[in-house]
Amino acid sequence: MVQFIQAQNIGLAYLEERFSLQLAEDEAFFTEWFENLPEITDLEKQDLNKVKLHYLRLVKHPPLSEETVKLVVLSPLLNLAGFYDEPFYIRGEQSIEISAEDEGEIIRGRIDILVIQEQLWLLVIESKRSSFSLLEAVPQTIAYMLANPNQDKPNFGLVTNGSDFIFLKLTKENQPKYAISDQFTLLKRKSELYQVLSVLKNLSQILS
């Protein structure tokens, strides 16, 4: 009998056992989040400062839902990074199922935001409420990335709760491998939203 498992209830150990997933130890595996990043313009910095201001204003009146995080933080970032323009298009609330061979288990979930180019999944984005720990969402996001039907190209992910951000990379050729970026936050006096946008712009350029 097939057992259905919700993606938000799994951990990295489960994915490593069922899908032979392996953490990439080599720093060169995931340089896209820190190497050769594009500059952020003064106008973009002004927009990002407004995003931070709007977010900090909203958190004074909790709870801050996932939908609000998408609207106030994610939408401006994706727009500034160019993911609303050609050749990309956005899908929201994308259902997925993934199963390991001969395990009798199927993982089910819904991707919050999926960036696609010509049917290729490029960027999986998972947003959480403001009080949610990002590390809890990493296995869920990697499970969604494993469900990507494209086996040949790297797949990238972003997890955010509005104030903090983690980028992910997954390759599926031969053995699935993944890596996790440093965690960025807009809560520092010198907000790291500039770096977050710079990484997103870099991914936009690489994937276009």
Side-chain angles (χ1 to χ4, degrees):
M1 182 177 178
V2 175
Q3 179 182 2
F4 293 97
I5 303 171
Q6 294 302 311
Q8 66 264 29
N9 296 330
I10 62 174
L12 284 173
Y14 175 91
L15 295 175
E16 289 171 354
E17 178 184 352
R18 295 295 194 278
F19 297 93
S20 300
L21 181 68
Q22 184 178 45
L23 176 65
E25 303 286 354
D26 187 355
E27 191 176 79
F29 177 82
F30 189 13
T31 60
E32 291 88 350
W33 72 268
F34 65 85
E35 196 170 87
N36 300 320
L37 298 181
E39 294 290 329
I40 302 301
T41 67
D42 289 339
L43 187 58
E44 288 170 337
K45 289 178 181 179
Q46 292 177 26
D47 289 336
L48 293 174
N49 291 340
K50 286 183 181 178
V51 170
K52 178 180 178 179
L53 181 66
H54 294 160
Y55 176 83
L56 293 178
R57 178 173 174 267
L58 285 169
V59 295
K60 293 179 182 178
H61 306 279
L64 192 58
S65 69
E66 295 177 29
E67 291 304 317
T68 306
V69 167
K70 286 188 232 179
L71 181 66
V72 175
V73 179
L74 268 178
S75 184
L77 283 171
L78 292 174
N79 180 39
L80 289 170
F83 283 112
Y84 288 161
D85 302 321
E86 294 289 348
F88 308 111
Y89 65 95
I90 302 275
R91 283 185 181 172
E93 292 294 319
Q94 184 78 13
S95 296
I96 66 100
E97 288 189 355
I98 180 174
S99 60
E101 292 184 10
D102 302 323
E103 290 292 346
E105 297 173 339
I106 295 177
I107 300 172
R108 281 180 169 171
R110 294 181 68 85
I111 300 170
D112 280 347
I113 299 175
L114 180 62
V115 178
I116 300 175
Q117 179 195 123
E118 296 179 352
Q119 305 304 313
L120 299 179
W121 295 14
L122 301 178
L123 181 63
V124 172
I125 302 173
E126 182 67 19
S127 64
K128 295 296 182 185
R129 61 187 182 275
S130 59
S131 59
F132 198 91
S133 169
L134 294 193
L135 290 180
E136 295 179 40
V138 166
Q140 178 183 356
T141 308
I142 291 177
Y144 296 158
M145 295 165 72
L146 284 167
N148 186 348
N150 175 43
Q151 300 283 333
D152 301 325
K153 294 184 179 181
N155 192 207
F156 297 94
L158 170 62
V159 185
T160 182
N161 59 9
S163 63
D164 302 302
F165 305 81
I166 290 176
F167 290 92
L168 306 166
K169 181 178 181 178
L170 175 76
T171 61
K172 295 169 66 178
E173 190 176 1
N174 297 325
Q175 180 179 17
K177 291 185 179 181
Y178 73 99
I180 303 173
S181 75
D182 286 352
Q183 181 165 311
F184 299 96
T185 180
L186 61 68
L187 297 178
K188 290 184 178 178
R189 185 173 60 180
K190 186 176 180 181
S191 172
E192 294 175 341
L193 266 183
Y194 297 171
Q195 291 97 315
V196 172
L197 178 57
S198 190
V199 176
L200 283 171
K201 288 177 67 175
N202 193 39
L203 293 179
S204 176
Q205 293 171 8
I206 292 169
L207 297 171
S208 61

